[in-house]
Amino acid sequence: MKAYVLEGINQLEYKEIDVPSLSAGYVLVEVRAAGICNSDIARVFTTGTYHFPTIPGHEFSGKVVEAFDVSGTPWIGKRVGVFPLIPCQICASCQEQSYEMCSNYNYLGSRCDGGFAEYVAVPVWNLIELPEGVSYQEAAMLEPASVALHAVRRLVMDDVSSVALFGLGTIGIIIAQWLHIYGVKTVITTGHSDKHGEIMKQVASDTYIYLDASSDEKKSIVDEVLHLTNEIGVDAVLDCVATSESLIDALACVKTGGQIVVVGNPKGDIEIDKNSYWKILRKQIRLTGTWNSSFTHSEKDDWNTVLKENANGNLHLKELITHELDFEQLHHGLAIMKNKSEYRNKVMICKKDE
Ligand SMILES: [Zn+2]
Ligand SMILES: [Zn+2]
C-alpha cells in the first residue's frame, strides 16, 4: 500500500509499504478521508512523532475491509469514524471511562501508525459507525468537533449567556457552533482574517460579534469585550490561543465569578503578571482545562453527540473544509498549513473513487 511515513523530522516519505497485519480485536480500515491537524504540522516539521518511522494522521475515516478475531457486530463493509486514542483499559481513568485522561495510552498517528495511508490497523473498540448521510469528509472532522464539544462541556453551563472566544482555528469555529447549540446568546470572537467573519456567519449565524484582532491593538479586545458587556465582563472565556497575552486578556475579560476554559496547546511558557493572577483570586474565577474528547460508546459521549448534531443539521462541519485534496497531495496540504500562504481551515486528503 501507499503511505506517508515520517522517517525523521521533516522527512515525510510517500512510499510503498506492507499493509499492516492485524492483532486480535483489530480491523483494517481503508482510509477515505484524512484531515491535517495543526499538531501534524508540528509533528512533521519540528517535534517529530514518538518514534520513527511512524505514519501520522489522527483525523480520519474510512471503510472496514478486514477483521481479525472480532466478536459481535459484523464490521466488514461498514463506514466508520475512528477515535484515535487507544486507552490502556487498566489505569484509574480508564476504570472511570475517562479514557481521554488515560495515563498509558497509545495514539494512532503519533505513537503508532495513523491515517495518512491507504490502510490503518484499528482496534474495533475505537470504531464509530457512520450513519447514512454523514460523508467520509465530515467523519474525518469528528475528532476536532469532539475536542471542541469537550471544551464547551467543561463549562458549568447554568448561567452562561455571554462568552468571549479567543482563536478561530478549526476548533474555535466549532466551539462557537457548540456554544450556539447550547443556547449561549452572545459569542464574541476574535480572529486574524475577515474570511473568518464569513465562515462564522455561515455556521454560527447571528450569535457572534466579530472583532478583527489584526486591525486593533491587543488591549482593545479587552476594551471591546468590556464595552459590549456594560463593563461587567463575559460569563466565560474559552482560550484557544494559549499565549501569555491571551490568558491575561481572558482574566481581564471575564466577569466576577466567571469561568475560563484553557483549550489551546501553548507553544512556549505561559507567564502572567501579579495583577492578572490576583484577578483569579479576587474575581473567584473558575479556571479549568480540557483535554481531548470523551468516547465511551454511549449516546451522550462527545463523539456520538457530534454525529447526532451533524446529522440533524445543527453542527456544520463540511463548511469548514477549505481544501479537499487528492490522496497523493498530502505534501501540498502540509505546505498550505505550514506556510499559511492561502486562506485555509480544514485541509484534508481524500480518496474520491467511490
Ligand atoms: Zn488534531
Ligand atoms: Zn488507561
Side-chain angles (χ1 to χ4, degrees):
M1 68 169 186
K2 287 280 195 184
Y4 292 87
V5 183
L6 192 67
E7 303 196 326
I9 290 172
N10 211 355
Q11 276 181 270
L12 186 69
E13 307 291 340
Y14 184 48
K15 63 199 266 191
E16 189 72 33
I17 58 168
D18 290 342
V19 172
S21 51
L22 300 179
S23 315
Y26 273 67
V27 299
L28 194 64
V29 174
E30 184 193 339
V31 177
R32 308 302 308 216
I36 305 174
C37 176
N38 270 318
S39 67
D40 294 321
I41 302 302
R43 280 186 198 104
V44 171
F45 296 106
T46 49
T47 59
T49 38
Y50 272 75
H51 47 74
F52 302 115
T54 301
I55 300 168
H58 59 272
E59 302 178 0
F60 63 95
S61 62
K63 187 186 252 182
V64 177
V65 292
E66 217 182 298
F68 180 58
D69 205 359
V70 168
S71 53
T73 325
W75 280 99
I76 292 176
K78 293 233 155 104
R79 303 162 69 248
V80 293
V82 177
F83 180 63
L85 186 150
I86 304 171
C88 75
Q89 305 283 5
I90 294 167
C91 74
S93 296
C94 283
Q95 293 302 312
E96 291 172 358
Q97 293 201 307
S98 300
Y99 302 110
E100 73 276 17
M101 290 185 285
C102 173
S103 55
N104 189 25
Y105 62 91
N106 210 341
Y107 205 89
L108 298 163
S110 74
R111 298 182 180 210
C112 61
D113 287 342
F116 294 152
E118 283 184 284
Y119 298 96
V120 191
V122 178
V124 73
W125 186 90
N126 290 66
L127 301 177
I128 183 166
E129 188 177 349
L130 303 180
E132 229 170 278
V134 173
S135 68
Y136 286 121
Q137 285 84 343
E138 288 171 298
M141 297 191 69
L142 282 171
E143 200 265 349
S146 300
V147 167
L149 172 59
H150 201 68
V152 170
R153 283 177 158 175
R154 299 292 293 150
L155 289 169
V156 179
M157 266 297 177
D158 297 348
D159 42 26
V160 175
S161 69
S162 61
V163 171
L165 169 63
F166 298 162
L168 285 182
T170 306
I171 304 268
I173 292 176
I174 302 174
I175 284 177
Q177 295 187 49
W178 283 119
L179 291 168
H180 179 56
I181 291 167
Y182 272 89
V184 174
K185 285 198 207 81
T186 309
V187 180
I188 304 169
T189 57
T190 64
H192 294 285
S193 157
D194 22 296
K195 283 266 194 178
H196 281 140
E198 284 168 36
I199 283 212
M200 294 300 289
K201 251 184 212 130
Q202 259 183 305
V203 301
S205 69
D206 54 0
T207 57
Y208 78 99
I209 300 153
Y210 178 66
L211 297 173
D212 185 0
S214 63
S215 65
D216 296 318
E217 291 290 296
K218 170 176 68 86
K219 192 171 140 240
S220 74
I221 294 170
V222 176
D223 288 348
E224 280 297 321
V225 169
L226 292 178
H227 176 70
L228 290 165
T229 55
N230 295 320
E231 308 301 321
I232 291 168
V234 280
D235 298 328
V237 179
L238 283 100
D239 180 14
C240 304
V241 176
T243 59
S244 302
E245 291 73 27
S246 67
L247 181 56
I248 288 166
D249 284 353
L251 292 166
C253 287
V254 75
K255 73 170 189 190
T256 300
Q259 308 174 54
I260 296 175
V261 183
V262 286
V263 184
N265 285 310
K267 287 212 177 77
D269 292 341
I270 303 289
E271 281 176 40
I272 62 171
D273 56 281
K274 187 170 68 179
N275 278 339
S276 294
Y277 189 91
W278 247 319
K279 288 181 184 136
I280 304 173
L281 307 176
R282 288 176 181 274
K283 295 202 217 177
Q284 297 201 136
I285 292 166
R286 186 195 298 263
L287 177 63
T288 182
T290 179
W291 189 247
N292 218 292
S293 58
S294 76
F295 180 69
T296 60
H297 301 101
S298 78
E299 211 180 293
K300 289 191 170 148
D301 72 14
D302 295 336
W303 283 64
N304 281 287
T305 306
V306 168
L307 268 187
K308 189 179 107 208
E309 296 296 335
N310 182 236
N312 69 20
N314 289 332
L315 182 71
H316 304 275
L317 297 177
K318 63 172 178 282
E319 287 82 348
L320 304 189
I321 305 169
T322 52
H323 296 75
E324 273 183 36
L325 305 174
D326 290 336
F327 185 77
E328 292 74 30
Q329 290 182 294
L330 180 66
H331 281 100
H332 177 53
L334 292 167
I336 291 170
M337 297 276 291
K338 182 175 173 244
N339 303 331
K340 303 183 173 153
S341 48
E342 55 194 89
Y343 180 73
R344 80 261 157 234
N345 203 293
K346 185 49 72 184
V347 179
M348 59 175 63
I349 54 171
C350 309
K351 283 254 168 130
K352 284 170 186 157
D353 52 329
E354 195 175 62

